[in-house]
Amino acid sequence: IIYRAVRDRDHQPVVIKSLVQERPALQDVSRLETEYSLLNELNIQGVIKPIDLVKHGNLIAMVLPDSKGQSLDELIRTYPLPI
């Protein structure tokens, strides 16, 4: 699940990516942790660095800066790709 939010401490717009399940499978948690690690290590222009990986009880979420961009789904609806 993807949420847009504003971080309380500095009013920075963020995107929060979390798992759907309240009690996610270890494989899903591991996948999100790996995604966080890979994004954090990449130094490629245009690749957004994550801000944090937050764990609270059984919940886990990755916090990223909000680039105010469009989702791929919105972009495709606006500009259909000829196939």
Side-chain angles (χ1 to χ4, degrees), residues 12-83:
Q12 177 181 354
V14 295
V15 172
I16 301 170
K17 180 178 182 178
S18 67
L19 301 174
V20 176
Q21 306 86 352
E22 192 170 310
R23 294 188 179 272
L26 288 176
Q27 179 181 355
D28 295 329
V29 171
S30 178
R31 191 175 305 131
L32 190 60
E33 290 173 333
T34 300
E35 181 179 351
Y36 171 81
S37 295
L38 289 172
L39 286 173
N40 211 25
E41 292 174 13
L42 288 175
N43 291 315
I44 300 172
Q45 184 177 0
V47 175
I48 295 174
K49 290 255 187 221
I51 296 170
D52 202 0
L53 187 66
V54 180
K55 297 178 184 180
H56 181 74
N58 293 325
L59 302 176
I60 184 169
M62 181 169 39
V63 182
L64 303 131
D66 189 349
S67 65
K68 301 290 185 187
Q70 279 185 304
S71 71
L72 183 56
D73 183 51
E74 292 170 338
L75 191 62
I76 289 173
R77 276 190 267 132
T78 305
Y79 304 100
L81 298 173
I83 296 179

